[in-house]
Amino acid sequence: MKKIALLAGTAAILCGTMAHAERGSDGHLNILYWQAASNLNPYLSGIAKEVEAASLVLEPLARFDENGELVPWLAAEIPTLENGGLSEDLKRITWTLREGLLWSDGSPVTSKDVVFTWRYCSDPDSGCAAAAMFEGIETVEAVDDLTVRVDFSEPKPYPYTAFVSSEAPILQEAQFRDCVGSRIAQCSDQNMHPVGTGPYVVDEFLTNDVATFSVNPHFRFEDKPYFETVTIKGGGDAAGAARAVLQTGEMDYGWNLLLSPDVLESMGTGGPGEVVTVFGSSVEYLFLNQTNPDPALGAERSTAQAGAHPILADPRVGQALSLVIDRAAIAEVLFGETGKPTCNIVPAPEIYASTTNDACLTPDPDKARALLEEAGWVDDDGDGIREKDGIKLSLLFQSSVSAVRQDMQALLKQWWSEIGVETELKSVDASVFFGGDAGSPDTRQKFYADVQMYTDNSKGQDPETYLAHWVCDEAPRPETQWQGDNIQRFCSEEYDALAKKYHATAAPEDRAEVAREMNDMLVQSYTIIPIVHRGIVSGKARDLEGVRLNSWDSMIWNIMDWKRKKAE
């Protein structure tokens, strides 16, 4: 009887799905990313606004679901030791593509496209934003049309980096073959209108403004996606995005509603939209420039050639700045239930979360003053600003335009002033700050300031690739078109050695131990200061179903399943 009931229930679910399952039947979907995309090629940016917009079109072999678990996407299955996809010596992984995959232009997807994607990102002149994900690969070979063999130069216990997640999708060789090396950023049509395998194709793209999409006629699921067309509008701010979804109903989904809890609560009551939150590993950080950003240095500013930062290269200064931050107050007042004070670069999953630095949760301004005195920073003239060797302890502190971030900047400026630090605040339009324009002076990668603040997070539950962001070679510089994730230009041979050790460590407990050691080294370098472990807040229309927010991959990773709730 139980079996009959189960079959009956399954049949009912299938019937309900079939009744709704008509591609494009729900019309148009309006999405608002108030940080507008500059392009639709994640290899040029690695930042959410580009990566997530591109995820409607470009797809990886595998990605992470909303729980951070690895799931096959363009691949038929996840290669493991058990199914023979991983070699016993852990130096090879073999991926098999799903059968019948087509690009949106109708041509077949083959293993040669996967090989090309590796060559595209691993070219040393490309400045590829996902270069760390391809680290350690010796060769990528097309065994046949559907089989790809990846050989590593040494055993790689965690091989799920290259071609995995929305940050490392597969590119079509036919479209991008002339866009390799130093030309990676010059192919405007390819970067703004990529041919993909995803549920949608690009109809129109306007840089830092709007992208419009329609159903990919060659998408592998005949009944999906449910929305025929999608618009991703950029620009404005988080408050405007929240109003458009939660109050006026102009938009169906609004991303990253970084607003104070009282504002969110008032907007999210009784309107056509609702607030949804997901926690992953996102942290709001301060980055302390380790190189000299002096404009007088011209093209060398904020590079290794500029020399060490005249103030922040001394970790005692960074430690003092950290010691006066009341993380609990910031989390409570500015984030509410969507923020937790943290002292970690990697706060989750729990196995990777260190407790070594928990003293940072208790502010200690007296110790901060003593550290600055010890470092030679004194206020001899009584103006309230410390100086040393004729240099004022004065910092330019920048972040993206956001009410919450400007409130945080103001709090930090006040606390720092109480220990003799002068702070000039600067806010940059988010589309510019997080953009990949190598010609702009205001991007986070250029870092033409002393301190900057924003959120970052690891993809998936294993932070190997994320922690590899801070190896020496990942520092942005002109030779990489200012791409790279080592934003503060931290460089330590010991840390680089740990990154290699992590790469070669197999047992989960041992990997976690190395990860915590890397976390602690970064925290204690005081080149990066974690403040709040953030939940990512979005808004969605109440009649929008199927949204499974995902802090481990693209937030809109399962957009093919989004649909409009039918009236009962």
Side-chain angles (χ1 to χ4, degrees), residues 123-141:
D123 188 303
D125 295 326
S126 70
C128 177
M133 303 176 80
F134 293 81
E135 188 69 31
I137 293 178
E138 194 169 76
T139 61
V140 179
E141 181 182 348

Side-chain angles (χ1 to χ4, degrees), residues 214-445:
S214 59
V215 169
N216 172 5
H218 299 289
F219 190 50
R220 59 190 172 277
F221 297 106
E222 293 183 359
D223 58 338
K224 300 179 183 181
Y226 298 119
F227 287 99
E228 184 177 13
T229 54
V230 178
T231 295
I232 299 183
K233 183 72 178 72
D237 55 27
R243 280 192 294 272
V245 177
L246 303 177
Q247 294 184 321
T248 69
E250 298 169 65
M251 292 287 171
D252 297 301
Y253 175 81
W255 167 84
N256 193 17
L257 304 184
L258 183 55
L259 296 167
S260 61
D262 57 328
V263 171
L264 273 178
E265 184 178 0
S266 64
M267 284 190 179
T269 303
E274 59 187 342
V275 175
V276 285
T277 305
V278 62
F279 268 95
S281 61
S282 296
V283 173
E284 187 81 5
Y285 300 108
L286 295 178
F287 298 85
L288 277 56
N289 200 337
Q290 296 303 289
T291 57
N292 194 337
D294 188 345
L297 295 171
E300 292 186 345
R301 65 188 296 204
S302 289
T303 69
Q305 287 70 35
H309 195 286
I311 297 173
L312 299 174
D314 185 340
R316 290 173 294 186
V317 177
Q319 186 177 4
L321 297 177
S322 177
L323 278 167
V324 295
I325 299 173
D326 190 337
R327 290 164 171 81
I330 288 176
E332 179 181 356
V333 174
L334 298 183
F335 293 88
E337 294 181 356
T338 68
K340 309 169 187 176
T342 187
C343 304
N344 285 323
I345 308 300
V346 180
E350 186 176 355
I351 189 174
Y352 297 106
S354 172
T355 58
T356 302
N357 309 293
D358 284 357
C360 95
L361 297 175
T362 304
D364 192 342
D366 290 336
K367 183 176 180 180
R369 295 186 188 96
L371 278 170
L372 292 176
E373 294 281 344
E374 178 188 303
W377 294 96
V378 295
D379 179 17
D380 285 336
D381 57 12
D383 66 353
I385 305 170
R386 297 175 183 269
E387 60 181 88
K388 176 182 178 181
D389 300 330
I391 299 174
K392 288 282 189 182
L393 187 44
S394 181
L395 303 172
L396 175 59
F397 175 20
Q398 69 180 15
S399 189
S400 63
V401 174
S402 158
V404 169
R405 288 201 170 117
Q406 270 68 79
D407 286 346
M408 287 181 69
Q409 283 183 298
L411 281 171
L412 293 171
K413 177 178 180 175
Q414 175 61 36
W415 290 330
W416 291 345
S417 72
E418 293 169 4
I419 59 171
V421 180
E422 180 182 53
T423 310
E424 176 186 351
L425 302 182
K426 178 180 179 181
S427 56
V428 181
D429 182 89
S431 296
V432 175
F433 185 72
F434 293 110
D437 183 0
S440 171
D442 291 322
T443 64
R444 68 184 184 100
Q445 295 98 326

